[in-house]
Amino acid sequence: MNEQILLARAYLSRVAEPPAPALAAFVAQAGPVEAAARVFDGRVEEAVAAETGVRRSVHRPQADLDAAAAAGARLITPEHPEWPAEAIEAFEVVGSAQLAPPLALWVRGPARLDELCGHAVAVVGARAATSYGAHVAGELGSGLADRGCTVVSGAAIGIDGAAHRGALAVEGATVAVLACGVDRAYPASHELLLERIAASGLVVSEYPPGGVPGRHRFLVRNRLIAGLATGTVVVEAGLRSGAQRTASDALALGRTVMAVPGPVTSAMSAGCHRLVRDGALLVTRSDEVLEAVAPIGAHLAGGPEPQGDRPTDGLGPRAALVHDALPARAARDTRWLALESGVPIGDVRSALITLERRGLVEHCAGRWRRRQAEGGEAVV
Amino acid sequence: MNEQILLARAYLSRVAEPPAPALAAFVAQAGPVEAAARVFDGRVEEAVAAETGVRRSVHRPQADLDAAAAAGARLITPEHPEWPAEAIEAFEVVGSAQLAPPLALWVRGPARLDELCGHAVAVVGARAATSYGAHVAGELGSGLADRGCTVVSGAAIGIDGAAHRGALAVEGATVAVLACGVDRAYPASHELLLERIAASGLVVSEYPPGGVPGRHRFLVRNRLIAGLATGTVVVEAGLRSGAQRTASDALALGRTVMAVPGPVTSAMSAGCHRLVRDGALLVTRSDEVLEAVAPIGAHLAGGPEPQGDRPTDGLGPRAALVHDALPARAARDTRWLALESGVPIGDVRSALITLERRGLVEHCAGRWRRRQAEGGEAVV
């Protein structure tokens, strides 16, 4: 990993309050090192300056990386193989300001984020959960984790905590996405729970070490919960709740939105019923969730990857465009691919990383080409 | 009312076990008087003979009419103005054997069946209802009846009884469709409830007086519950239940199917959740039911008729075809209308009755024509 890029991304992760759509676009276009230097110097266009002006002089990337290391955490960036490129691609494709992609992610725990996100479902809901809701969240957490599916949630009290605990109870994978630094325990009563999650899964945040949780950050954080998972299940939610926001982010990101019903007499189920009436899938148990997020039969075979038969199945739209643009045998450079595919050059780069990880393309003397299958035929 | 027709229909209502698709088609084609005579003599084609052979010698129409009168009941037939022609038309249009139309209906109570069916919702569910289900059924029954909507159900213990009681509690209209004669109280514990229903609304059955309830008859009866209402709400149901059958009949008849959610831990809500997953509308309160069965705004205005702005809105497909076939000003006879519209002549007749009741056509020297609006223009 290029130390310069890591320091640049660490600086960028602190310089703007997420979501920072202008900065994200600028970094994708200029690359992180140049972007960081120009942001620090103030040599940026107005929209980027508006997002970074207040904090651009706070230049402490090495101190943040050290603080993370001291807490057992690390910074992962789009340039890391561990970066969940396929999941994050949805943010880039949607292109909404509210759903700007994270510039980097601070993670604490032994697991690889890209692997955990390969087959992941978010289980979210109200803090003021009823005992019914907490029970169902725990059952879903256990049922999903037991089938090899990662349980993503926000570590809040109520539904979130029950979902994480359900996954941990069957020694399954779970990811907590925080609205504060990964070195902090919020809520304080979940300090032990967060330690348990960090011991086997991952605690994730886009806020640098020491970052404090704020009301706004919980809502902004919710887009990451939605985006890191293939689908989102709302277990209990009032009519106006953060879980509803997670569901609408999930919908915008093209994820499957699901909701658990409950008594019509319970205000904590009213948000779930509203979601179903608005088109969310009603689910009652983990089987139904897995059916909805994986192709038929995939979860039965125990395979962690929700992919179809062809290697190109499941690619995001931009990666698919870049793949299609590559000729069957000739190698092409990034600029040519951007012109041919119509995909911005910054996105071509991340698409190529995705395609390379899938074994669909290979890098060769500064250019890219389709990888040849064993029989000499291109992998299509 | 033609006495001959009444006696013929009374005979026909006993001669075949519903649903009797071949007999229904024969009666529609030959007319009730000729059909009854030929059934009694055995001069019918094989399919009709198969439905009527066992009971054709049981000729006691006057005794049945007398028994009904003694119980405060009466027979209504497609030839009566009170016949719910629009509701029953769906059975004729669907044309499925299982959903054959009733040949006549025995009713007990002061209300007019056609009026009650003008704006009616079926509220059905499990006998083994939970207290939650019974509570919700009662609330729905009251909420619907309070807004001028008739509550149709099957008078069973559990959900049905709670729905009827809810309607009665607000002095609203309710219809109980029985799987036995209207002179019998089944279940016995609902004798008082049935008396209360018959005192203000209607107790309805296609089985003649004295008819006993049988397992088969409950399922067959369910199609009438579904058909007499514009929509069906299932409040609680196990995965295999009579309420599911009512819902599938309602779907086949083109009615709106709705289901009330409940705890996923309750077996009595499992059937409702399955229905929603299969496409039924999730509803949590009577407002949502009324929104689904009436055009937007209609229930707000308190109007009992779920009709749009044009007099032809809400017509069944056959009535609409017949109406369309009529020229703007010229009068036509029934045979001409059958040829022009492609609707069987028996159905043209019932369609014309519907259209006449709506004030859309008028009878004139053996022929029918569009009724002229005040300004001299045809009502379109």
Side-chain angles (χ1 to χ4, degrees):
Chain A
M1 182 66 208
N2 186 316
E3 190 67 18
Q4 224 189 342
I5 294 177
L6 193 68
L7 286 164
R9 291 273 184 188
Y11 167 73
L12 291 166
S13 114
R14 184 178 282 282
V15 81
E17 181 68 20
L23 179 59
F26 179 50
V27 173
Q29 177 237 313
V33 176
E34 187 188 333
R38 286 180 51 189
V39 166
F40 184 71
D41 295 344
R43 291 179 292 120
V44 291
E45 64 177 30
E46 199 172 340
V48 179
E51 287 174 2
T52 56
V54 176
R55 297 190 196 145
R56 71 183 167 94
S57 59
V58 184
H59 192 276
R60 40 172 296 177
Q62 190 59 57
D64 281 338
L65 290 167
D66 292 346
R74 62 194 183 279
L75 182 66
I76 63 172
T77 75
E79 294 79 16
H80 280 81
E82 186 184 349
W83 183 253
E86 289 169 54
I88 300 297
E89 193 176 24
F91 292 91
E92 290 151 1
V93 171
V94 169
S96 123
Q98 206 177 71
L99 295 175
L103 295 163
L105 291 168
W106 302 86
V107 304
R108 182 159 72 97
R112 272 183 65 136
L113 185 57
D114 61 334
E115 286 172 4
L116 291 193
C117 294
H119 188 34
V121 167
V123 178
V124 300
R127 288 178 174 75
T130 68
S131 58
Y132 163 72
H135 168 77
V136 175
E139 292 286 308
L140 282 176
S142 294
L144 293 169
D146 206 32
R147 304 283 276 278
C149 178
T150 301
V151 175
V152 181
S153 196
I157 57 168
I159 298 300
D160 289 16
H164 289 302
R165 285 195 189 92
L168 292 170
V170 296
E171 301 185 355
T174 188
V175 171
V177 185
L178 304 187
C180 59
V182 293
D183 57 336
R184 299 180 73 101
Y186 187 90
S189 61
H190 276 181
E191 181 169 3
L192 184 59
L193 175 63
L194 286 164
E195 288 305 321
R196 289 177 64 205
I197 295 170
S200 61
L202 281 176
V203 176
V204 176
S205 177
E206 62 183 322
Y207 301 101
V212 295
R215 193 188 177 92
H216 167 73
R217 289 184 169 178
F218 287 106
L219 291 178
V220 169
R221 176 273 315 260
N222 288 356
R223 83 193 195 291
L224 293 185
I225 295 177
L228 291 176
T230 315
T232 291
V233 184
V234 182
V235 179
E236 278 194 324
L239 282 175
R240 291 173 175 216
S241 66
Q244 297 269 32
R245 169 70 173 265
T246 311
S248 73
D249 286 351
L251 193 66
L253 291 166
R255 308 300 199 236
T256 305
V257 179
M258 294 159 274
V260 174
V264 299
T265 46
S266 166
M268 279 299 111
S269 288
C272 293
H273 297 151
R274 167 76 58 82
L275 283 170
V276 172
R277 285 173 56 81
D278 288 346
L281 179 67
L282 181 152
V283 292
T284 68
R285 52 179 203 269
S286 54
D287 287 9
E288 294 169 351
V289 175
L290 289 166
E291 263 172 42
V293 297
I296 292 166
H299 69 279
L300 299 175
E305 289 287 314
Q307 294 178 3
D309 286 323
R310 296 187 308 166
T312 50
D313 283 353
L315 282 179
R318 297 199 172 180
L321 283 172
V322 172
H323 186 264
D324 287 351
L326 264 181
R329 299 184 183 271
R332 294 286 186 256
D333 65 14
T334 314
R335 179 178 305 268
W336 187 94
L337 284 169
L339 280 170
E340 182 68 18
S341 65
V343 172
I345 196 154
D347 298 328
V348 168
R349 216 169 287 133
S350 68
L352 286 167
I353 293 166
T354 301
L355 294 169
E356 188 179 30
R357 284 185 42 238
R358 290 250 192 144
L360 292 170
V361 301
E362 55 193 0
H363 195 238
C364 166
R367 307 209 290 180
W368 295 83
R369 64 177 183 195
R370 293 197 182 199
R371 214 175 117 208
Q372 302 300 306
E374 303 232 326
E377 289 300 305
V379 177
V380 183
Chain B
M1 180 64 206
N2 185 317
E3 189 68 15
Q4 225 189 340
I5 293 176
L6 194 68
L7 285 164
R9 291 271 184 191
Y11 167 74
L12 291 166
S13 113
R14 184 178 282 282
V15 80
E17 181 67 22
L23 180 59
F26 179 51
V27 173
Q29 176 236 315
V33 177
E34 187 190 333
R38 286 180 50 188
V39 166
F40 184 71
D41 295 343
R43 290 178 293 120
V44 290
E45 64 177 29
E46 203 173 337
V48 179
E51 287 173 4
T52 57
V54 176
R55 297 190 196 146
R56 72 183 167 94
S57 60
V58 184
H59 192 276
R60 40 172 296 175
Q62 190 58 58
D64 280 340
L65 290 167
D66 291 347
R74 62 195 184 277
L75 182 66
I76 62 172
T77 75
E79 294 78 16
H80 280 82
E82 187 185 347
W83 183 253
E86 290 170 54
I88 300 297
E89 193 176 24
F91 293 90
E92 290 151 0
V93 171
V94 169
S96 125
Q98 207 177 74
L99 294 175
L103 295 163
L105 290 168
W106 302 88
V107 304
R108 182 159 73 96
R112 271 182 67 138
L113 185 56
D114 61 333
E115 286 172 3
L116 291 193
C117 294
H119 188 35
V121 167
V123 179
V124 299
R127 288 176 174 75
T130 68
S131 58
Y132 163 70
H135 168 77
V136 175
E139 291 286 308
L140 282 176
S142 294
L144 293 169
D146 206 33
R147 304 282 275 278
C149 178
T150 302
V151 174
V152 181
S153 195
I157 58 170
I159 298 300
D160 289 17
H164 289 302
R165 286 194 189 92
L168 291 170
V170 296
E171 300 183 359
T174 188
V175 170
V177 186
L178 303 188
C180 60
V182 294
D183 57 335
R184 299 180 71 100
Y186 187 90
S189 61
H190 276 180
E191 183 170 0
L192 184 60
L193 175 63
L194 286 164
E195 288 304 321
R196 289 177 63 205
I197 295 169
S200 61
L202 281 176
V203 176
V204 176
S205 177
E206 62 183 322
Y207 302 101
V212 296
R215 194 189 175 91
H216 168 72
R217 289 183 169 176
F218 286 107
L219 291 178
V220 169
R221 175 273 314 259
N222 288 356
R223 83 191 195 293
L224 294 185
I225 295 177
L228 291 176
T230 314
T232 290
V233 184
V234 182
V235 179
E236 277 194 324
L239 282 175
R240 291 172 174 217
S241 66
Q244 298 268 33
R245 169 69 172 266
T246 311
S248 73
D249 286 352
L251 193 65
L253 291 165
R255 308 300 197 234
T256 305
V257 179
M258 294 158 275
V260 174
V264 299
T265 46
S266 167
M268 279 299 110
S269 287
C272 293
H273 297 151
R274 168 74 59 83
L275 283 169
V276 172
R277 286 174 55 82
D278 288 347
L281 179 67
L282 182 151
V283 291
T284 68
R285 52 180 204 268
S286 55
D287 287 8
E288 293 170 351
V289 174
L290 290 166
E291 262 173 41
V293 297
I296 292 167
H299 69 279
L300 299 176
E305 290 286 316
Q307 294 178 4
D309 286 324
R310 296 188 308 165
T312 50
D313 284 352
L315 283 180
R318 295 200 172 179
L321 283 172
V322 171
H323 186 263
D324 287 351
L326 264 180
R329 299 187 180 269
R332 294 285 184 258
D333 66 15
T334 315
R335 179 178 306 267
W336 187 94
L337 283 169
L339 280 169
E340 181 68 19
S341 65
V343 173
I345 196 156
D347 298 329
V348 168
R349 215 170 287 134
S350 68
L352 287 166
I353 293 166
T354 301
L355 294 169
E356 188 179 29
R357 285 185 41 239
R358 291 251 192 142
L360 293 169
V361 301
E362 57 192 359
H363 196 238
C364 166
R367 306 208 292 179
W368 296 85
R369 63 177 185 195
R370 293 196 181 200
R371 215 176 118 207
Q372 303 300 308
E374 303 232 327
E377 288 300 305
V379 179
V380 182

